[in-house]
Amino acid sequence: MKDILDKLEERRGRARAGGGQARIDAQHKRGKLTARERLELLMDKGSFEEFDMFVEHRSAEFGMEKSRIPGDGVVTGWGTVNGRTVFAFAKDFTVFGGSLSEAHAQKIVKIQDMAMKARAPIIGLFDAGGARIQEGVAALGGYGEVFKRNVIASGVIPQISVIMGPCAGGDVYSPAMTDFVFMVRDTSYMFVTGPDVVKTVTNEVVTAEELGGAAVHTTKSGIADGSYENDVECLLQMRRLLDFLPANSEAGVPEWPSHDDLEREEKSLDTLIPDNPNKPYDIKELILKIADEGDFFELQEAFAKNIVTGFGRIAGRSVGFVANQPIVLAGVLDIDASRKAARFVRFCDAFGIPIVTFVDVPGFLPGTNQEYGALIKHGAKLLFAYSQATVPLVTVITRKAFGGAYDVMASKHIGGDVNYAWPTAQIAVMGAKGAVEIIFRADIGDAKKIAARTREYEDRFLSPFAAAERGYIDDVIMPRATRSRIAKALAMLRGKRVEMPARKHDNLPL
Ligand code: HXC
């Protein structure tokens, strides 16, 4: 009997050794943890249950039959994060660069299927070079199986991808189809084809960092939702993110104990809006003062900074915050901001997370750049996303809500359930200067007349009352009372149920 037990331990030991001590040392030298070390940090202590540690590849091409490593480059299983079930797979770069073989794909697919059966989130830790070159189409087929399951799970269970090393090919396409992508700065890269291929095909000389480092994907492409200094910080933040997410689309938002008074008044909000309407202020101050304990998990912080998105809690329950940011481009809606917010709104809607929207938007960004880049279509994404949302929508207009952007930002007309405005709100087709120059063009040479017309326009339209008189705004509220008014609205909306007409699926403007 002892022999048998020893044999098991010996086999487990071989699997745990991955690609060997030299490669583990190289991994550490690069500032990266191993797949198993990462999973230990991600999951509650001692909770990780590993599957398939004895699986080996079956390839005999290019001498591969001589190098079989148990586990075959990916560690899979499930555990708990703050007591809640989470499925995970972590690519082991020390084994064939974490590349995906047929057997490796089957391990991931098994975990994807189990996560779907258990209706629990799945998180992939990527550190891998794509399809295992020696396996050819068997590896490509394996990726196809993974991709298909990413799509079937979309909108059913949360899927998170963390890029923790150089990732190429299928190891970037699968993450691209998941809900969130995070990266580790200086050690992770994402590209379809690496610098060598780029040089061969286009003659461009770029480093891996320039082509697909965290800075590129968090600021330029917007593919990554955030980046962190190192593996440890990244994995701890993933635990924090998971705490905000429902287990699945039907589970409802998690509820955590909160000691933050719902009636808490924030007097400082009464003076948040500067007297000069063209002066900016930081909308994040409002979010931090409204959310329970000021806890806000921001997404895409460095991309399209003119709109802010992220998760917080009110009364211990998750909400999604969407807010125009006046300190960047005056909070205007452009292509990137529309795409960023639309995707976030759709995530929240798919998973039953109520959305709180703060509006201070001067309109859509004019210009050839934007028009040629299909602003119409990208702006429509946000309009579509909000119009389609059936989760509770609570909107507060703090200052400007001009033009089409007024409609788009969760207005009453497209499904806003509770729409409030601060006394400083200005709800109109456009600002006073632009409006007067158009409707009183004949008076343009006469400064006195123009000044009078401007005042007239400001008095009539640059307030919340024209909208409130029509019931488009349910109430004009004191800024200091914003938290309690939102909390009450969300409590009232807890049982919200809206049925959309039956259809195969909608046709989102892509
Ligand atoms: C088999 C691979 C591999 C792969 C890396 N290795 N990628 N083995 N198949 N795809 C092995 C290396 O041979 C090496 O083995 C070990 O992993 C570490 O790799 P290095 O190159 O030494 O590491 P590094 O210099 O850090 O470079 C990492 C890398 C690079 C950027 C990922 O290895 C690379 O470019 N790999 C190929 C990427 C690629 O083109 N993949 C195919 C994509 S196509 P030893 O034994 O020396 O430790 C694809 C199709 C999917 O994925 C479908 C998409 C729609």
Side-chain angles (χ1 to χ4, degrees):
M1 181 68 180
K2 174 131 189 339
D3 278 1
I4 298 174
L5 299 184
D6 286 347
K7 211 165 167 192
L8 171 64
E9 268 320 299
E10 187 263 321
R11 287 193 71 151
R12 281 191 195 279
R14 259 199 300 145
R16 289 196 191 103
Q21 198 54 47
R23 289 194 182 88
I24 292 174
D25 291 344
Q27 181 86 348
H28 287 157
K29 223 168 146 191
R30 288 176 173 158
K32 300 194 294 179
L33 297 175
T34 64
R36 284 193 174 76
E37 288 165 345
R38 287 168 174 163
L39 287 167
E40 257 170 50
L41 270 172
L42 175 69
M43 300 293 184
D44 293 340
K45 204 168 170 27
S47 74
F48 185 65
E49 297 279 320
E50 185 172 342
F51 286 150
D52 291 338
M53 75 169 4
F54 307 115
V55 165
E56 294 178 356
H57 71 74
R58 295 178 282 275
S59 170
E61 309 279 357
F62 301 102
M64 285 297 278
E65 70 281 4
K66 287 189 227 98
S67 52
R68 294 211 159 98
I69 297 173
D72 202 32
V74 62
V75 183
T76 60
W78 68 278
T80 58
V81 171
N82 286 322
R84 301 167 73 224
T85 300
V86 174
F87 288 81
F89 59 90
K91 303 277 185 152
D92 184 349
F93 191 77
T94 70
V95 179
F96 311 118
S99 59
L100 180 137
S101 68
E102 188 181 12
H104 174 130
Q106 282 164 353
K107 285 182 66 172
I108 296 175
V109 160
K110 187 194 264 189
I111 287 299
Q112 289 180 300
D113 289 344
M114 292 189 84
M116 277 294 276
K117 264 194 242 169
R119 291 289 196 267
I122 183 165
I123 179 162
L125 310 182
F126 290 84
D127 186 357
R132 184 153 324 150
I133 295 162
Q134 297 90 332
E135 290 215 6
V137 71
L140 298 182
Y143 267 125
E145 302 282 339
V146 173
F147 297 156
K148 179 77 179 170
R149 281 164 178 79
N150 283 139
V151 175
I152 290 170
S154 183
V156 182
I157 52 173
Q159 302 180 81
I160 301 173
S161 303
V162 191
I163 311 297
M164 311 187 83
C167 291
D171 287 310
V172 295
Y173 270 114
S174 174
M177 288 193 292
T178 61
D179 298 303
F180 303 108
V181 176
F182 294 91
M183 298 182 76
V184 180
R185 291 195 279 275
D186 301 326
T187 49
S188 77
Y189 314 100
M190 291 178 87
F191 28 68
V192 176
T193 53
D196 296 344
V197 180
V198 169
K199 182 160 187 296
T200 312
V201 178
T202 70
N203 243 339
E204 267 179 296
V205 179
V206 280
T207 62
E209 181 64 33
E210 287 164 349
L211 187 61
V216 170
H217 291 308
T218 53
T219 62
K220 285 187 165 58
S221 75
I223 287 170
D225 293 281
S227 67
Y228 301 99
E229 207 55 56
N230 54 49
D231 285 15
V232 177
E233 190 198 347
C234 181
L235 293 165
L236 295 180
Q237 288 299 323
M238 292 304 98
R239 287 176 60 85
R240 194 177 147 230
L241 171 63
L242 281 160
D243 283 352
F244 284 101
L245 305 184
N248 60 64
S249 57
E250 288 171 345
V253 296
E255 197 162 342
W256 298 98
S258 168
H259 306 287
D260 198 350
D261 183 7
L262 291 177
E263 294 297 325
R264 172 167 57 80
E265 286 208 335
E266 279 294 341
K267 289 201 180 94
S268 61
L269 292 179
D270 290 350
T271 51
L272 180 66
I273 306 294
D275 290 336
N276 177 349
N278 296 320
K279 246 183 126 177
Y281 62 95
D282 187 356
I283 201 72
K284 285 192 207 169
E285 195 180 327
L286 173 57
I287 297 173
L288 294 176
K289 284 182 174 160
I290 296 305
D292 286 355
E293 281 107 22
D295 189 12
F296 178 52
F297 189 97
E298 187 169 354
L299 292 160
Q300 300 209 314
E301 189 176 353
F303 180 75
K305 294 182 190 175
N306 38 331
I307 202 155
V308 177
T309 55
F311 297 112
R313 293 188 189 85
I314 290 187
R317 298 166 56 80
S318 308
V319 297
F321 284 107
V322 178
N324 309 113
Q325 173 57 289
I327 52 175
V328 180
L329 294 172
V332 78
L333 282 179
D334 59 3
I335 292 171
D336 289 346
S338 303
R339 282 174 47 218
K340 168 177 164 178
R343 188 156 165 80
F344 181 69
V345 166
R346 280 169 64 82
F347 177 84
C348 291
D349 187 49
F351 287 96
I353 302 171
I355 301 167
V356 174
T357 304
F358 293 130
V359 184
D360 187 348
V361 61
F364 280 98
L365 183 62
T368 48
N369 243 345
Q370 291 287 310
E371 298 290 353
Y372 296 172
L375 174 65
I376 297 169
K377 199 145 225 180
H378 294 295
K381 285 180 179 148
L382 184 54
L383 179 54
F384 202 104
Y386 268 126
S387 302
Q388 180 185 49
T390 57
V391 288
L393 297 178
V394 177
T395 306
V396 180
I397 301 176
T398 57
R399 192 168 58 176
K400 296 170 194 165
F402 288 164
Y406 155 74
D407 276 323
V408 170
M409 294 301 295
S411 66
K412 195 61 126 192
H413 323 281
I414 64 166
D417 295 302
V418 175
N419 294 69
Y420 290 140
W422 284 4
T424 43
Q426 307 174 348
I427 306 168
V429 174
M430 61 179 74
K433 188 170 179 293
V436 169
E437 280 174 7
I438 292 170
I439 54 180
F440 301 113
R441 190 165 287 158
D443 299 336
I444 276 179
D446 186 336
K448 240 174 141 184
K449 259 191 182 168
I450 286 289
R453 298 294 199 191
T454 303
R455 253 194 322 279
E456 191 186 338
Y457 183 88
E458 283 171 353
D459 290 347
R460 180 63 194 119
F461 287 136
L462 296 192
S463 86
F465 294 104
E469 284 161 16
R470 286 185 151 72
Y472 300 164
I473 293 296
D474 298 301
D475 197 5
V476 180
I477 64 171
M478 286 300 284
R480 70 175 72 178
T482 305
R483 174 172 157 87
S484 77
R485 300 299 294 263
I486 292 174
K488 281 181 190 148
L490 290 171
M492 176 271 284
L493 288 164
R494 265 183 81 164
K496 179 181 174 184
R497 226 191 142 86
V498 175
E499 300 291 340
M500 294 296 248
R503 57 184 141 190
K504 187 169 177 204
H505 59 71
D506 56 56
N507 192 10
L508 174 79
L510 290 173

